[in-house]
Amino acid sequence: MKNTTDDYKQIKGWGIDADQKNDPTYPMKKRTDDEHKGYSWDRPPQQPIDIEVLHSNERPNVTAVFGTSVPPSGLSGMIRRQAFKYGEGSFGHWIPLMLADRVNVVEGIVDDLAHGKIPNIFAEQGMKAELKHNPVGLFQKFAIGAAITAATVMLLTRKK
């Protein structure tokens, strides 16, 4: 292996943060470490909690403002409740949340069908754009989906 000393100063943007006098984020504030004692600012008034709100077990309370449009419900809500029993640094928190998102999509489709609405899955999944910009990937997804569906049907309908 050959060791070379390159002049990185010729690379545009290289070392842009090397000069502290030219760095707009340094220092962000005069640090006193008072923020470790708790809230060092006036907390906004608490948004009323009239639905179930899941929040990190690493926080002592709910954030002042939070979303209320989709409260946890059904199987995806059960998965989310389990996920919030784990800290945010754990796979036990994030993997179930991703699974809950996927389950929620299926629950939404089932709910649409139960209310007599036929969902336009092609449009909702952005397949028109994918057909235009990534047709090979789209057909690959269809092929994989068809293979999984065929395997599932074969497994469920085979005679013992």
Side-chain angles (χ1 to χ4, degrees), residues 136-156:
V136 174
L138 180 62
F139 289 119
Q140 185 179 16
K141 285 180 188 177
F142 280 142
I144 292 170
I148 291 172
T149 302
T152 304
V153 169
M154 285 175 36
L155 285 172
L156 294 175

Side-chain angles (χ1 to χ4, degrees), residues 33-55:
D33 290 330
D34 284 337
E35 62 268 10
H36 295 292
K37 296 176 185 171
Y39 292 119
S40 58
W41 41 272
D42 293 330
R43 192 171 198 264
Q46 178 69 52
Q47 176 181 348
I49 302 174
D50 54 357
I51 61 166
E52 180 182 9
V53 178
L54 299 174
H55 71 282

Side-chain angles (χ1 to χ4, degrees), residues 11-86:
I11 300 172
K12 184 176 182 176
W14 183 85
I16 197 165
D17 57 349
D19 182 11
Q20 293 179 354
K21 294 176 185 171
N22 190 31
D23 184 0
T25 64
Y26 179 84
M28 290 193 100
K29 66 176 187 171
K30 298 207 184 297
R31 302 226 179 251
T32 62
D33 290 330
D34 284 337
E35 62 268 10
H36 295 292
K37 296 176 185 171
Y39 292 119
S40 58
W41 41 272
D42 293 330
R43 192 171 198 264
Q46 178 69 52
Q47 176 181 348
I49 302 174
D50 54 357
I51 61 166
E52 180 182 9
V53 178
L54 299 174
H55 71 282
S56 173
N57 60 5
E58 297 169 2
R59 293 186 56 83
N61 51 16
V62 179
T63 56
V65 180
F66 48 84
T68 60
S69 64
V70 185
S73 64
L75 178 61
S76 63
M78 291 169 51
I79 295 170
R80 289 179 203 284
R81 287 182 199 97
Q82 288 299 316
F84 276 94
K85 291 180 180 179
Y86 295 92

Side-chain angles (χ1 to χ4, degrees), residues 107-119:
E107 288 175 336
I109 292 169
V110 169
D111 186 53
D112 283 348
L113 293 172
H115 287 93
K117 298 177 189 170
I118 298 175

